[in-house]
Amino acid sequence: MTDDETIALRDTVIGSHRQADDFTVIWRDLPIGRIMKIGVSSRSRWWWGCNVYGQPSLDDDSGNGIDLDDCITKFMIAWARIHACLTDEDIAKAHDMRRR
């Protein structure tokens, strides 16, 4: 994978606060999804969602996982499908929408 195609997990920050086990997934400076642990202690679960600004979300674009690694694996399967359909115009539009 080239540097242009690498994704990264960054801590999600909302209102200058970071939550444990909450990550924004970044590709080409675009947020393309989120992976996070929801709930507390024994009732917690992991969740992932993959999307690109301006693109419709499908049922297979999000779901639950047993842990962070499982969510990353499932996210990457969804991302491969979404990424394969993106055009340069879609990517430019997503960057434009993000700047607004």
Side-chain angles (χ1 to χ4, degrees):
M1 203 177 325
T2 66
D3 287 341
D4 214 20
E5 298 308 316
T6 301
I7 66 163
L9 295 180
R10 293 187 187 156
D11 292 337
T12 300
V13 178
I14 300 173
S16 73
H17 293 84
R18 180 201 170 286
Q19 293 293 328
D21 298 321
D22 188 344
F23 306 96
T24 300
V25 185
I26 305 294
W27 171 74
R28 293 188 184 181
D29 287 330
L30 283 173
I32 59 165
R34 200 158 166 194
I35 299 174
M36 68 179 118
K37 193 173 191 180
I38 301 171
V40 291
S41 27
S42 64
R43 299 192 67 125
S44 64
R45 63 185 173 91
W46 282 89
W47 176 90
W48 64 274
C50 183
N51 68 314
V52 175
Y53 286 117
Q55 300 296 307
S57 292
L58 305 174
D59 289 341
D60 293 338
D61 294 346
S62 64
N64 295 307
I66 57 172
D67 57 22
L68 177 60
D69 290 335
D70 186 44
C71 284
I72 291 171
T73 299
K74 291 175 179 178
F75 183 98
M76 292 304 293
I77 292 167
W79 174 240
R81 179 180 36 76
I82 293 167
H83 182 250
C85 297
L86 290 176
T87 65
D88 290 340
E89 185 178 318
D90 294 331
I91 297 164
K93 182 178 175 183
H95 277 287
D96 274 353
M97 292 177 78
R98 184 169 177 253
R99 287 185 204 117
R100 291 180 189 177

